[in-house]
Amino acid sequence: MTQTIDYEGRILETRATETVLDALLRSGVDAAFSCKGGSCHTCLMQCQSGTVPEAARRSLPEHLQRLRYFLPCRCVPVGPMKVRAPQPGDLVTNCMLCETVLQDDGSVILLIEPARTIRYRQGQALQIVNGAAHEPRARITSDPERDMLLSVQVAAQDVAALGEALQPGAEFGADMQVRGPFDERPSQELPYPDPDPQLWTLLDEGRTMRRVLEAFYVKVYADPVLAPFFEGATMGRAIDKQFSFMKQCITGEKVYMGDRPRNAHHWMIITHEVFDHRQALMLQTLREQGVDEDVIARWTGFEEYFRPDMVKSYFWPRQVGDQLIVNDGFSPEVLGESTLCDHCQGEVMAGETVLLHRRLGTISCERCADLAQTVA
Ligand code: HEM
Ligand code: FES
């Protein structure tokens, strides 16, 4: 009997006795698979609704069964199913540590042999399972087409969180587990959040907001961490843009013309620390301006909502729908004359490729710009 499968919004029909995997492949879905016999677990998917036949799940570990994971290559559906690709946070892979290499900047490269094939792309992130609530994230530096071993780079500030067994000089063959891989770049721009019109009234129909923003941007423009981002941008414009954007978020009225945070900040490397720093400055300003704590929480909630669309460790291209627009705002250029990088002040030699920020005219050396990622 044919059954209807909803794969991430794509509707397809299975043929009689056909597995979900075969139906997906027949429909042109780039589904991962290897053995097609229930052994390798490469084809793993999650069932969001519908019945998972026993044969499609019994070989999976219990925690994955509880999360309704199943093997599409062993699944001849018995009714309609809604299914999706595995969620990276659910996927833990046992690995063997082969080598740890300490870098000059204090970061550490781990060379790892996973016990099963991990489907990844260079530049994605893995979390190192350490038994704690906060798992350090590591950027994948190996290329799956070229490299036998998986290699990941752990930033200097996260090395301690790796635990003793994975410190530089760790023993060859130590067991470890990784979670993921995760895409650092969200695949879709965040939509506007639900409005909170009452908040606008509490902000004196926006008058309090303007007062706060005026005081806030004076601090931003004098702040050694934040000011460099605003080079070449007038304070008045920054205030106006922020005001109308926040007004649109809070009231739901269409008053803002401009990019949402993802594209507005696509060229800025805003780390969690930089973002936290901005939010601390905002909190300080809101309190200095006598804003009520409840109003502060609701205001900053809107800003926090957009955090995943701004925080990143490499440049993102602009994105319109599914289209990535790589060369808007910045472009790779080969340097004619030696100069200094505008970010790290390190020397960049003639002939090296740098990232030119077109609006600001600033350049970033390869180390700061991580050019390889811009076109990922
Ligand atoms: C550390 C955090 C942030 C930094 C460094 C930053 C930096 C900037 C810079 C430099 C601009 C360009 C200003 C101009 O060209 O006039 C900008 C624009 C903007 N930012 Fe931020 N920003 C941060 C956080 C936020 C947050 C939390 C929001 C709101 C949720 C936000 C919303 C906007 C908007 C709406 C624009 C205007 C975009 C446009 O011109 O079309 N930013 N930001
Ligand atoms: S392809 Fe190997 S388990 Fe499904």
Side-chain angles (χ1 to χ4, degrees):
M1 208 174 121
T2 69
Q3 298 293 352
T4 306
I5 306 293
D6 174 343
Y7 171 73
E8 300 184 352
R10 195 161 159 175
I11 310 296
L12 44 110
E13 296 279 322
T14 57
R15 294 176 177 158
T17 73
E18 189 180 37
T19 64
V20 173
L21 178 65
D22 283 336
L24 287 168
L25 295 173
R26 180 170 51 75
S27 312
V29 173
D30 179 27
F33 69 94
S34 179
C35 72
K36 275 195 164 185
S39 310
C40 70
H41 296 186
T42 309
C43 62
L44 193 70
M45 280 192 188
Q46 192 176 30
C47 175
Q48 295 172 276
S49 65
T51 306
V52 175
E54 158 77 13
R57 60 181 160 86
R58 62 169 163 246
S59 66
L60 292 178
E62 215 178 287
H63 77 278
L64 288 181
Q65 291 197 36
R66 263 203 312 276
L67 294 167
R68 298 182 48 81
Y69 276 88
F70 72 105
L71 297 173
C73 73
R74 304 294 294 158
C75 182
V76 178
V78 292
M81 292 176 86
K82 184 168 159 48
V83 306
R84 65 176 177 184
Q87 303 303 290
D90 296 339
L91 297 183
V92 172
T93 308
N94 289 324
C95 302
M96 187 175 82
L97 178 70
C98 298
E99 203 180 340
T100 49
V101 187
L102 181 63
Q103 305 293 294
D104 289 346
D105 61 1
S107 66
V108 167
I109 304 253
L110 304 179
L111 287 150
I112 297 170
E113 190 174 336
R116 67 171 184 93
T117 309
I118 300 182
R119 239 195 168 197
Y120 71 89
R121 288 191 319 275
Q122 204 171 20
Q124 284 184 305
L126 286 174
Q127 278 174 204
I128 312 295
V129 178
N130 60 356
H134 170 73
E135 293 176 345
R137 274 208 168 189
R139 202 167 123 227
I140 302 181
T141 52
S142 50
D143 174 350
E145 304 286 329
R146 191 193 60 204
D147 299 314
M148 295 281 287
L149 290 178
L150 176 68
S151 67
V152 294
Q153 185 164 20
V154 182
Q157 70 267 22
D158 290 330
V159 171
L162 285 174
E164 238 165 74
L166 304 181
Q167 292 301 312
E171 212 178 301
F172 172 88
D175 289 331
M176 61 179 288
Q177 289 183 317
V178 297
R179 191 189 302 279
F182 300 87
D183 270 317
E184 239 198 306
R185 178 166 59 78
S187 59
Q188 289 293 327
E189 196 173 14
L190 282 168
Y192 278 99
D194 291 338
D196 178 2
Q198 197 207 16
L199 178 59
W200 196 245
T201 314
L202 294 171
L203 288 167
D204 195 14
E205 304 297 325
R207 278 180 283 273
T208 307
M209 172 169 284
R210 188 161 287 277
R211 195 178 76 233
V212 169
L213 289 179
E214 280 169 3
F216 173 67
Y217 277 100
V218 170
K219 290 185 201 292
V220 167
Y221 275 69
D223 184 88
V225 175
L226 297 173
F229 288 97
F230 289 85
E231 226 177 286
T234 67
M235 198 188 298
R237 182 178 181 275
I239 294 171
D240 287 347
K241 286 273 180 184
Q242 190 72 17
F243 180 86
S244 49
F245 173 73
M246 287 295 281
K247 180 173 180 188
Q248 175 153 338
C249 288
I250 294 172
T251 63
E253 291 166 34
K254 231 195 133 347
V255 293
Y256 170 69
M257 296 221 313
D259 279 330
R260 268 177 284 161
R262 187 193 183 290
N263 281 337
H265 304 86
H266 72 97
W267 58 272
M268 301 175 212
I269 297 185
I270 300 172
T271 60
H272 280 293
E273 289 73 24
V274 171
F275 196 91
D276 288 344
H277 177 75
R278 186 230 187 238
Q279 292 315 95
L281 211 60
M282 178 55 93
L283 188 65
Q284 188 194 31
T285 317
L286 285 158
R287 289 193 175 142
E288 278 169 7
Q289 295 295 320
V291 180
D292 202 73
E293 287 297 320
D294 166 60
V295 172
I296 292 181
R298 284 153 78 176
W299 168 322
T300 52
F302 279 104
E303 297 175 330
E304 276 298 332
Y305 168 84
F306 284 103
R307 181 190 283 254
D309 260 5
M310 280 183 258
V311 167
K312 57 184 104 54
S313 58
Y314 58 85
F315 290 95
W316 291 343
R318 256 185 118 240
Q319 184 168 357
V320 178
D322 287 339
Q323 282 289 99
L324 300 184
I325 300 166
V326 175
N327 273 347
D328 182 275
F330 58 89
S331 57
E333 303 284 340
V334 177
L335 259 195
E337 273 180 47
S338 304
T339 183
L340 297 183
C341 166
D342 287 311
H343 294 273
C344 68
Q345 307 303 321
E347 197 173 2
V348 209
M349 306 309 271
E352 277 185 43
T353 304
V354 294
L355 202 62
L356 170 72
H357 188 272
R358 290 187 170 165
R359 183 168 61 80
L360 303 179
T362 52
I363 61 149
S364 317
C365 68
E366 212 164 350
R367 214 176 144 88
C368 291
D370 201 354
L371 288 176
Q373 294 307 322
T374 39
V375 270

